[in-house]
Amino acid sequence: MVSGPNLDERAYVRGGETQTAVKILVVGHFAVGKTTFIGSISEISPLTTEETMTRAGEAIDDLKGVQSKTTTTVAMDFGRLTVSERVVLYLFGTPGQQRFVQMWEDMARGALGALVLVDPERLADSFAVIDLIEQYGLDYAIAVNHFDGSSIRDARALREALDLLDDTPIVTCDARDERSSADALITLVRYLMDRAR
């Protein structure tokens, strides 16, 4: 986990401190690494709703490029990260399949922003995700999740391919790596702080 104060919740409350809770969405298309991302960085055991994929889902979920995937999120993922003695990020990971999109609106309520995970080999799958986040009026950063063997893409080319505004942050990450995931979240939080000024 990311180094920081080891704060037992009850002891923290007894100390009279006030925490600011910040809700962040971790979104992306199907099989982009959202569950892995939250699991790599959460300071608590993450809540996941991973279920085994069935034959019935084969006709609905496009496994192109991710044929080895055997489980999928069916509701949400949840994790927590204390970034200072006063600020705690609550991370909500959305399911990536189109049939679960209606849940996103409820999850977006009260969110300060979103980290959009993108697979550089399946950029077109991210268009609908970015459209939804913009529809909900959330500021966001793009985290390009580099899987084993995926090529590194130029940030300018990614910005053009995803039709992003000039100030939308783009960062590369490895969702399996705690430090890399933390860097992606820090990029988003800094961007949100700059936008709030």
Side-chain angles (χ1 to χ4, degrees):
M1 299 305 136
V2 173
S3 61
N6 185 3
L7 302 172
D8 174 86
E9 288 184 61
R10 282 177 245 130
Y12 197 56
V13 172
R14 281 195 305 269
E17 296 291 338
T18 301
Q19 286 183 331
T20 299
V22 178
K23 182 179 182 181
I24 299 289
L25 294 187
V26 178
V27 301
H29 56 76
F30 174 65
V32 75
K34 299 173 297 290
T35 300
T36 301
F37 181 94
I38 290 175
S40 76
I41 198 167
S42 179
E43 64 194 12
I44 61 172
S45 294
L47 165 71
T48 63
T49 58
E50 286 279 293
E51 293 294 334
T52 301
M53 296 180 67
T54 64
R55 286 198 182 272
E58 288 178 6
I60 301 169
D61 299 326
D62 182 6
L63 294 176
K64 182 181 174 189
V66 291
Q67 288 86 350
S68 62
K69 187 167 177 62
T70 59
T71 62
T72 188
T73 300
V74 296
M76 68 173 211
D77 297 315
F78 174 77
R80 183 185 76 192
L81 179 65
T82 301
V83 295
S84 73
E85 290 186 357
R86 304 203 51 143
V87 178
V88 179
L89 301 182
Y90 289 94
L91 308 172
F92 289 81
T94 61
Q97 297 95 319
Q98 191 66 31
R99 66 183 181 272
F100 294 119
V101 162
Q102 291 180 334
M103 297 172 57
W104 287 36
E105 186 171 356
D106 289 334
M107 292 176 71
R109 285 195 185 101
L112 191 60
L115 186 68
V116 180
L117 285 181
V118 170
D119 179 344
E121 303 301 321
R122 298 183 292 149
L123 288 179
D125 292 348
S126 299
F127 298 156
V129 174
I130 293 170
D131 286 346
L132 269 175
I133 292 303
E134 290 177 347
Q135 178 184 327
Y136 298 143
L138 292 175
D139 291 323
Y140 61 93
I142 300 291
V144 182
N145 187 16
H146 279 283
F147 296 85
D148 292 332
S150 66
S151 57
I152 303 287
R153 302 260 178 133
D154 176 69
R156 192 174 341 157
L158 283 168
R159 185 175 302 284
E160 186 175 321
L162 294 172
D163 194 25
L164 301 175
L165 296 174
D166 290 341
D167 66 340
T168 303
I170 299 177
V171 63
T172 59
C173 75
D174 179 342
R176 300 165 298 183
D177 181 74
E178 177 187 356
R179 182 76 260 162
S180 182
S181 296
D183 289 344
L185 271 178
I186 288 167
T187 298
L188 172 64
V189 170
R190 284 183 178 148
Y191 176 62
L192 295 175
M193 290 171 65
D194 287 345
R195 299 276 290 171
R197 289 185 183 141

